[in-house]
């Protein structure tokens, strides 16, 4: 669900006529740019490290059929990593940290192992119950993505700071700042050995948005937003798609504006929003789901999306986009990109029911709310759920089931 919230925040920024460069979460554009960085691609350099299949940190569905989360009874008790077997619905304790004061932080999940940087220490926890290893780090590191070889940190959350990546090497513990282009807005890791960047391209340095507000908005009128494949080992960019900052102008004065949703198979999926900017705000006329090849060619219309103020939620299966969820209707509707079909799922006589994760074993992880607001979680067969079935298996939570 984190991807969904980031996407909605970014799209909300895209639809405003008076907002500085569109962003996700803390993803704002820096205030300076050079013409050289804005108009030329970064030259390739010799790779100094291998890059594997990159996935998001904190996404607990990277191991098919398993999900992971933290459990801590109170701030004064040790923190545990809990494993959910999505075939049986049973939770168990994978590992308990000895320290009672553990800061929050994402899990770095790779086949056979979970890693977690805590302070200046990297924990490596085998999923088969083997010996846990620790490694000292050069400094603090807050990862957002990882592969089998290292983790990546995306930092620079202020308009005055150039956004860039740092890499943590799992073998040496070394932290290295990577080469990134100027004015990166946000990024997506989609299970490939490259990252998709969303960045702002300008022909000249932008004025300071704080001290030269009017000049900034005048300059941003001619800016371009661009999607690129980014090789973290070399800094090389490969352009996917670009459009004017405020969208592609239509004959009637409206605009079409695309926003990236995810990758599935060998296709990239975008939401194309047809909107009209006016006073006092923005009117969404319609939305469509479109896809293209990984190089930005072969654009295809997939389906119409709900219009109105709220676009669909996205739900990924590991690093792959799988569902678009329309919560504006009752009951909700789900578009599955694998069969290109809208479905009406089962609700099971609760006041509300919502899919939270797709564990990758043909199941869907559901949250259901009673009228009193209490939540319970369970697992259902994905195909049956999409067909309207209300059958599910309640999760046997830890430590309640072992007490």
């Amino acid at each position: 669900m984190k991807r969904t919230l980031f996407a909605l925040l970014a799209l909300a920024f895209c639809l405003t006529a008076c907002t500085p460069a569109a962003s996700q979460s803390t993803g704002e554009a820096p205030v300076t740019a050079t013409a050289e960085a804005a108009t030329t691609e970064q030259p390739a350099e010799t790779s100094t490290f291998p890059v594997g299949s990159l996935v998001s940190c904190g996404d607990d569905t990277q191991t098919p059929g398993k999900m992971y989360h933290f459990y801590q009874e109170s701030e004064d008790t040790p923190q545990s990593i809990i494993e959910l077997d999505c075939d049986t619905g049973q939770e168990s304790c994978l590992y308990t940290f000895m320290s009672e004061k553990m800061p929050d932080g994402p899990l770095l999940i790779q086949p056979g192992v979970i890693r977690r940087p805590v302070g200046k220490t990297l924990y490596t926890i085998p999923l088969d119950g083997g010996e846990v290893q620790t490694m000292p780090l050069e400094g603090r590191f807050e990862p957002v993505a990882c592969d089998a070889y290292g983790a990546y940190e995306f930092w620079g959350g202020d308009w005055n700071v150039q956004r860039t990546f740092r890499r943590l090497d799992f073998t040496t513990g070394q932290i290295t700042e990577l080469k990134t282009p100027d004015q990166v807005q946000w990024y997506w890791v989609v299970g490939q050995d490259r990252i998709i960047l969303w960045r702002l391209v300008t022909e000249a340095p932008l004025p300071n948005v704080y001290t030269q507000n009017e000049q900034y908005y005048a300059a941003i009128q001619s800016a371009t937003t661009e999607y690129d494949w980014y090789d973290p080992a070399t800094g090389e960019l490969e352009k996917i798609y670009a459009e004017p900052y405020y969208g592609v102008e239509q004959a009637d004065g409206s605009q079409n504006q695309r926003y990236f949703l995810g990758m599935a198979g060998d296709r990239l999926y975008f939401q194309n929003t047809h909107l009209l900017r006016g006073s006092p705000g923005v009117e969404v006329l319609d939305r469509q789901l479109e896809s293209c090849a990984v190089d930005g060619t072969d654009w295809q219309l997939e389906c119409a999306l709900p219009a109105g103020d709220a676009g669909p939620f996205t739900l990924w299966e590991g690093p792959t986009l799988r569902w678009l969820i329309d919560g504006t209707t009752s009951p909700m509707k789900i578009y599955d990109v694998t069969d290109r079909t809208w479905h009406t799922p089962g609700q099971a006589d609760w006041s509300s029911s919502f899919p939270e994760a797709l564990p990758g074993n043909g199941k869907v992880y559901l949250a259901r709310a009673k009228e009193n607001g209490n939540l319970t979680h369970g697992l259902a067969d994905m195909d049956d759920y999409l067909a309207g079935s209300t059958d599910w298996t309640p999760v046997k939570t830890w430590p309640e089931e072992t007490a």
Side-chain angles (χ1 to χ4, degrees):
M1 297 304 291
K2 290 181 179 178
R3 294 190 182 98
T4 296
L5 294 176
F6 284 144
L8 292 176
L9 287 172
L11 184 60
F13 283 125
C14 282
L15 298 182
T16 58
C18 57
T19 303
S23 68
Q24 283 194 13
S25 185
T26 58
E28 296 91 355
V31 298
T32 59
T34 63
E36 180 181 0
T39 58
T40 62
E41 304 295 339
Q42 299 284 350
E45 297 176 348
T46 302
S47 176
T48 57
F49 54 85
V51 183
S53 175
L54 291 159
V55 298
S56 292
C57 298
D59 187 339
D60 60 358
T61 62
Q62 299 300 341
T63 301
K66 307 290 184 181
M67 293 177 61
Y68 299 90
H69 69 89
F70 290 120
Y71 174 83
Q72 189 170 21
E73 186 175 351
S74 70
E75 294 182 355
D76 299 321
T77 58
Q79 191 178 79
S80 298
I81 298 177
I82 306 304
E83 179 184 80
L84 169 62
D85 186 324
C86 296
D87 289 319
T88 65
Q90 177 70 60
E91 287 187 347
S92 59
C93 180
L94 176 67
Y95 179 75
T96 298
F97 296 93
M98 294 298 103
S99 172
E100 296 178 353
K101 299 293 184 180
M102 294 292 292
D104 293 334
L107 297 175
L108 287 62
I109 303 173
Q110 286 290 311
V113 67
I114 287 180
R115 295 182 177 91
R116 185 188 179 200
V118 180
K120 295 184 179 181
T121 301
L122 177 67
Y123 288 81
T124 300
I125 305 162
L127 297 182
D128 62 4
E131 182 179 355
V132 174
Q133 299 178 347
T134 59
M135 174 188 292
L137 302 179
E138 296 180 344
R140 295 184 62 86
F141 192 83
E142 299 180 4
V144 297
C146 67
D147 57 18
Y149 309 105
Y152 295 82
E153 178 185 66
F154 188 52
W155 63 278
D158 188 88
W159 288 85
N160 294 303
V161 178
Q162 163 64 15
R163 303 180 67 81
T164 187
F165 280 101
R166 297 198 304 165
R167 179 181 183 270
L168 165 63
D169 190 291
F170 288 151
T171 301
T172 65
Q174 181 180 5
I175 298 173
T176 305
E177 184 171 326
L178 304 181
K179 184 178 183 179
T180 50
D182 289 337
Q183 300 192 153
V184 174
Q185 308 297 282
W186 199 247
Y187 67 94
W188 291 266
V189 289
V190 290
Q192 306 296 303
D193 60 359
R194 298 183 295 175
I195 298 170
I196 294 179
L197 297 184
W198 178 26
R199 66 192 183 100
L200 183 65
V201 179
T202 55
E203 294 182 355
L206 284 171
N208 190 300
V209 69
Y210 295 118
T211 60
Q212 297 174 288
N213 189 266
E214 292 185 4
Q215 296 92 323
Y216 178 92
Y217 288 117
I220 205 72
Q221 298 287 336
S222 59
T224 298
T225 57
E226 181 171 304
Y227 293 91
D228 300 283
W229 285 107
Y230 163 73
D231 185 335
T234 65
E236 183 179 18
L237 293 177
E238 181 183 325
K239 180 180 174 181
I240 300 171
Y241 172 74
E243 68 181 18
Y245 176 67
Y246 285 114
V248 179
E249 192 78 14
Q250 305 299 299
D252 61 358
S254 62
Q255 296 86 29
N256 278 347
Q257 193 169 51
R258 287 186 171 118
Y259 181 76
F260 182 68
L261 296 177
M263 180 176 180
D266 58 356
R267 307 287 294 176
L268 305 179
Y269 289 81
F270 288 77
Q271 175 177 295
N272 192 342
T273 302
H274 184 201
L275 51 91
L276 182 63
R277 289 186 171 87
S279 180
V282 177
E283 179 185 359
V284 175
L285 302 177
D286 61 74
R287 292 186 178 94
Q288 294 178 330
L289 177 66
E290 298 177 341
S291 69
C292 68
V294 295
D295 61 357
T297 62
D298 188 31
W299 284 92
Q300 297 180 15
L301 173 64
E302 297 288 330
C303 69
L305 295 175
D309 294 333
F313 295 95
T314 58
L315 201 58
W316 292 33
E317 192 171 39
T320 300
L321 177 67
R322 183 65 190 267
W323 284 359
L324 276 68
I325 304 170
D326 177 12
T328 64
T329 62
S330 183
M332 77 174 71
K333 296 188 180 299
I334 296 176
Y335 182 81
D336 192 323
V337 300
T338 60
D339 64 11
R340 306 179 72 176
T341 302
W342 285 98
H343 303 267
T344 302
Q347 293 297 303
D349 297 327
W350 291 69
S351 61
S352 64
S353 176
F354 201 84
E356 288 194 344
L358 300 175
N361 66 331
K363 304 284 187 180
V364 52
Y365 180 76
L366 296 168
R368 289 179 174 171
K370 296 182 179 180
E371 292 182 357
N372 60 10
N374 292 335
L375 280 176
T376 186
H377 291 86
L379 293 153
D381 180 87
M382 183 187 296
D383 292 337
D384 292 346
Y385 173 72
L386 290 179
S389 172
T390 59
D391 294 337
W392 80 334
T393 301
V395 169
K396 300 174 182 177
T397 58
W398 188 95
E400 287 79 2
E401 291 295 323
T402 59

